[in-house]
mmCIF file of all heavy atoms in Angstrom:
data_model
loop_
_atom_site.group_PDB
_atom_site.id
_atom_site.type_symbol
_atom_site.label_atom_id
_atom_site.label_comp_id
_atom_site.label_asym_id
_atom_site.label_seq_id
_atom_site.Cartn_x
_atom_site.Cartn_y
_atom_site.Cartn_z
ATOM 1 N N LEU X 1112 2.308 24.580 28.591
ATOM 2 C CA LEU X 1112 1.670 25.283 27.474
ATOM 3 C C LEU X 1112 0.698 26.367 27.946
ATOM 4 O O LEU X 1112 0.216 27.170 27.148
ATOM 5 C CB LEU X 1112 0.907 24.288 26.595
ATOM 6 C CG LEU X 1112 1.740 23.465 25.604
ATOM 7 C CD1 LEU X 1112 0.865 22.410 24.951
ATOM 8 C CD2 LEU X 1112 2.380 24.354 24.541
ATOM 9 N N ARG X 1113 0.397 26.349 29.230
ATOM 10 C CA ARG X 1113 -0.564 27.353 29.721
ATOM 11 C C ARG X 1113 0.008 28.744 29.503
ATOM 12 O O ARG X 1113 1.141 29.024 29.857
ATOM 13 C CB ARG X 1113 -0.845 27.140 31.213
ATOM 14 C CG ARG X 1113 -1.767 25.976 31.468
ATOM 15 C CD ARG X 1113 -2.021 25.771 32.936
ATOM 16 N NE ARG X 1113 -3.078 26.651 33.432
ATOM 17 C CZ ARG X 1113 -3.805 26.377 34.509
ATOM 18 N NH1 ARG X 1113 -3.613 25.274 35.181
ATOM 19 N NH2 ARG X 1113 -4.750 27.193 34.889
ATOM 20 N N SER X 1114 -0.786 29.566 28.880
ATOM 21 C CA SER X 1114 -0.325 30.941 28.671
ATOM 22 C C SER X 1114 -1.537 31.838 28.477
ATOM 23 O O SER X 1114 -2.658 31.353 28.304
ATOM 24 C CB SER X 1114 0.585 31.018 27.448
ATOM 25 O OG SER X 1114 -0.203 30.966 26.273
ATOM 26 N N THR X 1115 -1.297 33.100 28.492
ATOM 27 C CA THR X 1115 -2.405 34.054 28.441
ATOM 28 C C THR X 1115 -3.183 33.967 27.131
ATOM 29 O O THR X 1115 -4.353 34.310 27.086
ATOM 30 C CB THR X 1115 -1.886 35.494 28.602
ATOM 31 O OG1 THR X 1115 -0.801 35.654 27.691
ATOM 32 C CG2 THR X 1115 -1.418 35.757 30.011
ATOM 33 N N GLY X 1116 -2.523 33.494 26.082
ATOM 34 C CA GLY X 1116 -3.204 33.478 24.791
ATOM 35 C C GLY X 1116 -3.870 32.157 24.473
ATOM 36 O O GLY X 1116 -4.336 31.939 23.356
ATOM 37 N N ARG X 1117 -3.905 31.249 25.436
ATOM 38 C CA ARG X 1117 -4.354 29.897 25.109
ATOM 39 C C ARG X 1117 -5.441 29.436 26.066
ATOM 40 O O ARG X 1117 -5.363 29.703 27.263
ATOM 41 C CB ARG X 1117 -3.140 28.976 25.200
ATOM 42 C CG ARG X 1117 -3.365 27.569 24.722
ATOM 43 C CD ARG X 1117 -2.044 26.812 24.620
ATOM 44 N NE ARG X 1117 -1.308 27.183 23.432
ATOM 45 C CZ ARG X 1117 -0.006 27.426 23.389
ATOM 46 N NH1 ARG X 1117 0.722 27.335 24.471
ATOM 47 N NH2 ARG X 1117 0.575 27.750 22.254
ATOM 48 N N GLY X 1118 -6.446 28.760 25.519
ATOM 49 C CA GLY X 1118 -7.509 28.241 26.369
ATOM 50 C C GLY X 1118 -7.477 26.718 26.412
ATOM 51 O O GLY X 1118 -7.018 26.069 25.478
ATOM 52 N N PHE X 1119 -7.966 26.148 27.527
ATOM 53 C CA PHE X 1119 -8.025 24.684 27.666
ATOM 54 C C PHE X 1119 -9.418 24.243 28.088
ATOM 55 O O PHE X 1119 -10.049 24.905 28.920
ATOM 56 C CB PHE X 1119 -7.041 24.203 28.742
ATOM 57 C CG PHE X 1119 -5.607 24.233 28.315
ATOM 58 C CD1 PHE X 1119 -4.862 25.393 28.464
ATOM 59 C CD2 PHE X 1119 -5.017 23.116 27.760
ATOM 60 C CE1 PHE X 1119 -3.533 25.433 28.075
ATOM 61 C CE2 PHE X 1119 -3.681 23.140 27.368
ATOM 62 C CZ PHE X 1119 -2.943 24.307 27.522
ATOM 63 N N LEU X 1120 -9.839 23.118 27.493
ATOM 64 C CA LEU X 1120 -11.065 22.483 27.938
ATOM 65 C C LEU X 1120 -10.686 21.034 28.239
ATOM 66 O O LEU X 1120 -10.326 20.280 27.336
ATOM 67 C CB LEU X 1120 -12.121 22.559 26.825
ATOM 68 C CG LEU X 1120 -13.541 22.128 27.159
ATOM 69 C CD1 LEU X 1120 -14.108 22.931 28.326
ATOM 70 C CD2 LEU X 1120 -14.435 22.306 25.932
ATOM 71 N N VAL X 1121 -10.722 20.685 29.527
ATOM 72 C CA VAL X 1121 -10.217 19.382 29.948
ATOM 73 C C VAL X 1121 -11.377 18.496 30.374
ATOM 74 O O VAL X 1121 -12.065 18.798 31.353
ATOM 75 C CB VAL X 1121 -9.229 19.558 31.127
ATOM 76 C CG1 VAL X 1121 -8.705 18.209 31.588
ATOM 77 C CG2 VAL X 1121 -8.084 20.474 30.725
ATOM 78 N N ILE X 1122 -11.601 17.432 29.609
ATOM 79 C CA ILE X 1122 -12.669 16.502 29.965
ATOM 80 C C ILE X 1122 -12.067 15.397 30.824
ATOM 81 O O ILE X 1122 -11.073 14.790 30.425
ATOM 82 C CB ILE X 1122 -13.301 15.887 28.695
ATOM 83 C CG1 ILE X 1122 -13.916 16.995 27.828
ATOM 84 C CG2 ILE X 1122 -14.337 14.824 29.068
ATOM 85 C CD1 ILE X 1122 -14.370 16.522 26.454
ATOM 86 N N THR X 1123 -12.638 15.162 31.979
ATOM 87 C CA THR X 1123 -12.077 14.113 32.834
ATOM 88 C C THR X 1123 -13.148 13.557 33.770
ATOM 89 O O THR X 1123 -14.172 14.189 34.014
ATOM 90 C CB THR X 1123 -10.886 14.624 33.659
ATOM 91 O OG1 THR X 1123 -10.354 13.539 34.419
ATOM 92 C CG2 THR X 1123 -11.296 15.742 34.615
ATOM 93 N N HIS X 1124 -12.864 12.358 34.263
ATOM 94 C CA HIS X 1124 -13.754 11.776 35.266
ATOM 95 C C HIS X 1124 -13.185 11.938 36.665
ATOM 96 O O HIS X 1124 -13.848 11.685 37.647
ATOM 97 C CB HIS X 1124 -13.954 10.284 35.001
ATOM 98 C CG HIS X 1124 -14.876 10.008 33.854
ATOM 99 N ND1 HIS X 1124 -16.206 10.344 33.896
ATOM 100 C CD2 HIS X 1124 -14.665 9.456 32.639
ATOM 101 C CE1 HIS X 1124 -16.772 9.986 32.743
ATOM 102 N NE2 HIS X 1124 -15.852 9.456 31.967
ATOM 103 N N TYR X 1125 -11.892 12.314 36.743
ATOM 104 C CA TYR X 1125 -11.236 12.247 38.042
ATOM 105 C C TYR X 1125 -10.630 13.554 38.512
ATOM 106 O O TYR X 1125 -10.001 14.287 37.745
ATOM 107 C CB TYR X 1125 -10.146 11.165 38.014
ATOM 108 C CG TYR X 1125 -10.691 9.842 37.571
ATOM 109 C CD1 TYR X 1125 -10.399 9.333 36.306
ATOM 110 C CD2 TYR X 1125 -11.549 9.130 38.404
ATOM 111 C CE1 TYR X 1125 -10.918 8.127 35.887
ATOM 112 C CE2 TYR X 1125 -12.077 7.923 37.994
ATOM 113 C CZ TYR X 1125 -11.765 7.425 36.734
ATOM 114 O OH TYR X 1125 -12.295 6.243 36.329
ATOM 115 N N GLN X 1126 -10.792 13.787 39.765
ATOM 116 C CA GLN X 1126 -10.209 14.929 40.451
ATOM 117 C C GLN X 1126 -8.675 14.915 40.346
ATOM 118 O O GLN X 1126 -8.038 15.955 40.237
ATOM 119 C CB GLN X 1126 -10.670 14.879 41.916
ATOM 120 C CG GLN X 1126 -9.854 15.672 42.896
ATOM 121 C CD GLN X 1126 -9.912 17.157 42.580
ATOM 122 O OE1 GLN X 1126 -10.891 17.637 42.010
ATOM 123 N NE2 GLN X 1126 -8.838 17.862 42.920
ATOM 124 N N ARG X 1127 -8.110 13.700 40.298
ATOM 125 C CA ARG X 1127 -6.653 13.542 40.342
ATOM 126 C C ARG X 1127 -5.931 14.425 39.319
ATOM 127 O O ARG X 1127 -4.947 15.080 39.615
ATOM 128 C CB ARG X 1127 -6.295 12.077 40.087
ATOM 129 C CG ARG X 1127 -5.581 11.427 41.232
ATOM 130 C CD ARG X 1127 -5.259 9.981 40.906
ATOM 131 N NE ARG X 1127 -6.088 9.513 39.785
ATOM 132 C CZ ARG X 1127 -5.885 8.380 39.128
ATOM 133 N NH1 ARG X 1127 -4.896 7.595 39.443
ATOM 134 N NH2 ARG X 1127 -6.684 8.027 38.142
ATOM 135 N N LEU X 1128 -6.435 14.409 38.079
ATOM 136 C CA LEU X 1128 -5.789 15.205 37.041
ATOM 137 C C LEU X 1128 -5.850 16.684 37.393
ATOM 138 O O LEU X 1128 -4.916 17.444 37.145
ATOM 139 C CB LEU X 1128 -6.470 14.964 35.689
ATOM 140 C CG LEU X 1128 -5.873 15.755 34.515
ATOM 141 C CD1 LEU X 1128 -4.486 15.226 34.149
ATOM 142 C CD2 LEU X 1128 -6.778 15.717 33.297
ATOM 143 N N LEU X 1129 -6.986 17.050 38.006
ATOM 144 C CA LEU X 1129 -7.192 18.465 38.308
ATOM 145 C C LEU X 1129 -6.349 18.933 39.494
ATOM 146 O O LEU X 1129 -6.208 20.121 39.740
ATOM 147 C CB LEU X 1129 -8.682 18.736 38.537
ATOM 148 C CG LEU X 1129 -9.572 18.315 37.352
ATOM 149 C CD1 LEU X 1129 -11.040 18.587 37.658
ATOM 150 C CD2 LEU X 1129 -9.163 18.986 36.054
ATOM 151 N N ASP X 1130 -5.776 17.963 40.242
ATOM 152 C CA ASP X 1130 -4.791 18.327 41.263
ATOM 153 C C ASP X 1130 -3.548 18.895 40.591
ATOM 154 O O ASP X 1130 -2.887 19.778 41.122
ATOM 155 C CB ASP X 1130 -4.365 17.084 42.067
ATOM 156 C CG ASP X 1130 -5.429 16.707 43.087
ATOM 157 O OD1 ASP X 1130 -6.278 17.573 43.400
ATOM 158 O OD2 ASP X 1130 -5.411 15.550 43.541
ATOM 159 N N HIS X 1131 -3.236 18.324 39.415
ATOM 160 C CA HIS X 1131 -2.027 18.756 38.695
ATOM 161 C C HIS X 1131 -2.301 19.918 37.750
ATOM 162 O O HIS X 1131 -1.487 20.815 37.605
ATOM 163 C CB HIS X 1131 -1.442 17.586 37.886
ATOM 164 C CG HIS X 1131 -1.003 16.436 38.730
ATOM 165 N ND1 HIS X 1131 0.026 16.526 39.641
ATOM 166 C CD2 HIS X 1131 -1.467 15.160 38.808
ATOM 167 C CE1 HIS X 1131 0.189 15.359 40.231
ATOM 168 N NE2 HIS X 1131 -0.702 14.508 39.758
ATOM 169 N N ILE X 1132 -3.425 19.836 37.048
ATOM 170 C CA ILE X 1132 -3.800 20.931 36.150
ATOM 171 C C ILE X 1132 -4.935 21.681 36.833
ATOM 172 O O ILE X 1132 -6.097 21.294 36.734
ATOM 173 C CB ILE X 1132 -4.307 20.395 34.785
ATOM 174 C CG1 ILE X 1132 -3.291 19.441 34.152
ATOM 175 C CG2 ILE X 1132 -4.597 21.550 33.831
ATOM 176 C CD1 ILE X 1132 -3.805 18.753 32.895
ATOM 177 N N LYS X 1133 -4.603 22.734 37.515
ATOM 178 C CA LYS X 1133 -5.622 23.433 38.308
ATOM 179 C C LYS X 1133 -6.603 24.168 37.400
ATOM 180 O O LYS X 1133 -6.209 25.079 36.668
ATOM 181 C CB LYS X 1133 -4.940 24.442 39.242
ATOM 182 C CG LYS X 1133 -4.004 23.807 40.271
ATOM 183 C CD LYS X 1133 -4.702 23.668 41.601
ATOM 184 C CE LYS X 1133 -3.864 23.093 42.710
ATOM 185 N NZ LYS X 1133 -2.900 22.044 42.413
ATOM 186 N N PRO X 1134 -7.872 23.768 37.430
ATOM 187 C CA PRO X 1134 -8.837 24.432 36.555
ATOM 188 C C PRO X 1134 -9.327 25.753 37.158
ATOM 189 O O PRO X 1134 -9.309 25.925 38.376
ATOM 190 C CB PRO X 1134 -9.983 23.425 36.500
ATOM 191 C CG PRO X 1134 -9.926 22.724 37.813
ATOM 192 C CD PRO X 1134 -8.495 22.717 38.259
ATOM 193 N N ASP X 1135 -9.731 26.654 36.261
ATOM 194 C CA ASP X 1135 -10.343 27.893 36.738
ATOM 195 C C ASP X 1135 -11.835 27.688 36.950
ATOM 196 O O ASP X 1135 -12.423 28.245 37.864
ATOM 197 C CB ASP X 1135 -10.117 29.010 35.720
ATOM 198 C CG ASP X 1135 -8.636 29.310 35.550
ATOM 199 O OD1 ASP X 1135 -8.035 29.841 36.491
ATOM 200 O OD2 ASP X 1135 -8.069 28.964 34.478
ATOM 201 N N VAL X 1136 -12.431 26.885 36.039
ATOM 202 C CA VAL X 1136 -13.874 26.653 36.113
ATOM 203 C C VAL X 1136 -14.139 25.164 35.894
ATOM 204 O O VAL X 1136 -13.463 24.523 35.094
ATOM 205 C CB VAL X 1136 -14.629 27.461 35.022
ATOM 206 C CG1 VAL X 1136 -16.132 27.287 35.170
ATOM 207 C CG2 VAL X 1136 -14.253 28.933 35.070
ATOM 208 N N VAL X 1137 -15.103 24.615 36.615
ATOM 209 C CA VAL X 1137 -15.507 23.220 36.420
ATOM 210 C C VAL X 1137 -16.979 23.188 36.021
ATOM 211 O O VAL X 1137 -17.811 23.869 36.622
ATOM 212 C CB VAL X 1137 -15.295 22.388 37.711
ATOM 213 C CG1 VAL X 1137 -15.847 20.980 37.539
ATOM 214 C CG2 VAL X 1137 -13.816 22.346 38.083
#
Side-chain angles (χ1 to χ4, degrees):
Chain X
L1112 281 173
R1113 284 179 83 156
S1114 76
T1115 49
R1117 188 170 282 136
F1119 286 87
L1120 189 57
V1121 179
I1122 299 171
T1123 183
H1124 284 295
Y1125 306 107
Q1126 161 63 28
R1127 242 180 342 168
L1128 180 70
L1129 304 179
D1130 282 342
H1131 298 296
I1132 306 173
K1133 297 261 182 323
D1135 297 291
V1136 184
V1137 174

